Amino acid sequence: MRLALWLARQANGDTSPNPMVGAVIVKADRVVGQGAHRRAGLPHAEVEALQQAGEHARGATLFVNLEPCAHTGRTPPCCEAIIGAGLKRVVIAMEDPNPLTNGRGIERLRRAGVEVVTGLLEEEAQHLNAPFTKYITQRMPWTVVKVAQSLDGKIATSTGRSRWISSVSTRRMAHRLRREADAVIVGVNTVLRDNPRLTARDAVRPPRPGRPIRVIVDSRLRTPLSSRCLSRVSSTPTVIATTERSARKRRPYVTRGVEVLVFPARRGRVPMRRLLRELAKRHEAMSVLIEGGGEVIAGALEERLADRLVWCIAPILIGGRTSPSSVGGEGIAQLSRAIRADEISLRRLGPDVVWDASPVYPTRR
């Protein structure tokens, strides 16, 4: 099962909106076939493993990190392929949260006389496909908030300069996070200050066609038409989210091929929850990366949208009362209302420390 999980993980960022799945077929204590789902529309992991195993699959055991599908989607159901190949036993880490399969795949296999065992390394499997589970059950993308800040919590100087707070190694990691995300979200102040391209430039793996979608949160439509993130990059869409009061200014952006989403304002800002839901609905965005600035991050945290926090802390001090901080907004009045962190891991990247954690939101009153 660990090999199946490892195979699944190799396609991280490629399978959306499908889950990451790896499969291993074992017979007489020997691996006779293995496979991984590589991209939506391509064969599922079980089918790849069966093709590699050939006749050796008859009477063998299949290890797979997610329940085999029992429905027809972009590809035929895997359960029928497993039954047809004559597998004797199937070991599954976790049930498929997709309502179209949830438990039905296991039931179909057992009805056909296949022995089914579930729950092996279930926690690891759930962690691996947490973005898929959230997307398929809530129709909301898994949301990662990533920050590059100084020791004193600043993301730019008082004059707006932020290149470069983080090290080269940390910036490479940031591009890997972009590569794994379906959409990258920044606020208009980040565009005005840094003029980013918002593309994934990962030398190890080529970019995915049309990904990541570039999203700018701009409640007053101040994004310059000359911004690099508005340039056409192959088939990669650019989306600007704005409020109703600025909708009349959207024509030049639409002419440039930008998709402009208009929302009723929430405290004068774009409502982040509605934006994420629209990205999931319109673009099958299973995961998003929020890269700043402080106001957009504050909005996402206030609406309890972040599922993972990645804080990159550089060993520098910037100071300044007017220097922007990594989290803006109104803040909290009492420490009991603070967002806390759990499942914390720390690592060094060059001179920087990368702090990776899950947020724990305060209990609602």
Side-chain angles (χ1 to χ4, degrees), residues 219 242-245 263-274 295 298-305 330 364:
S219 59
T242 193
T243 55
E244 290 173 338
R245 66 178 179 179
F263 300 94
R266 180 179 183 270
R267 298 179 184 172
R269 301 188 302 197
V270 171
M272 293 297 293
R273 183 175 297 276
R274 292 191 58 173
E295 295 304 314
L301 293 174
E302 286 171 9
E303 294 190 51
R304 299 172 176 238
L305 300 173
E330 296 178 5
R364 293 186 186 275

Side-chain angles (χ1 to χ4, degrees), residues 118-135:
T118 62
L120 180 62
L121 299 184
E122 183 175 8
E123 186 175 344
E124 290 91 331
Q126 289 176 342
H127 185 268
L128 177 69
N129 275 311
F132 173 72
T133 298
K134 182 178 181 182
Y135 172 77

Side-chain angles (χ1 to χ4, degrees), residues 149-153 164-166 313-318:
Q149 68 169 47
S150 63
L151 274 174
D152 53 341
W164 293 105
I165 288 177
S166 58
I313 304 172
I316 59 173
L317 296 169
I318 293 176

Side-chain angles (χ1 to χ4, degrees), residues 3-24 33-52 65 74-75 78 129 179-180 182 205-209 286:
L3 176 56
L5 286 163
W6 182 86
L7 288 167
R9 198 174 292 111
Q10 304 317 296
N12 189 4
D14 291 330
T15 62
S16 177
N18 288 353
M20 291 177 278
V21 184
V24 178
Q34 61 184 43
H37 182 46
R38 304 181 190 284
R39 193 172 68 247
L42 292 184
H44 287 188
E46 300 94 322
V47 173
E48 274 204 356
L50 287 170
Q51 289 173 346
Q52 189 178 108
N65 62 292
R74 291 181 171 97
T75 59
C78 291
N129 275 311
R179 171 65 175 70
E180 295 168 3
D182 290 312
R205 299 164 68 192
R208 289 185 291 157
M286 190 170 81

Side-chain angles (χ1 to χ4, degrees), residues 25-26 31-34 46-58 60 85 87:
I25 298 175
V26 176
V31 173
V32 296
Q34 61 184 43
E46 300 94 322
V47 173
E48 274 204 356
L50 287 170
Q51 289 173 346
Q52 189 178 108
E55 286 301 314
H56 295 293
R58 189 161 298 277
L87 282 159

Side-chain angles (χ1 to χ4, degrees), residues 188-189 218-223 241-243 245-246 249 253 268:
V188 64
N189 288 330
D218 185 359
S219 59
R220 290 183 284 162
L221 275 183
R222 296 182 292 141
T223 302
T242 193
T243 55
R245 66 178 179 179
S246 299
K249 298 192 288 184
Y253 299 99

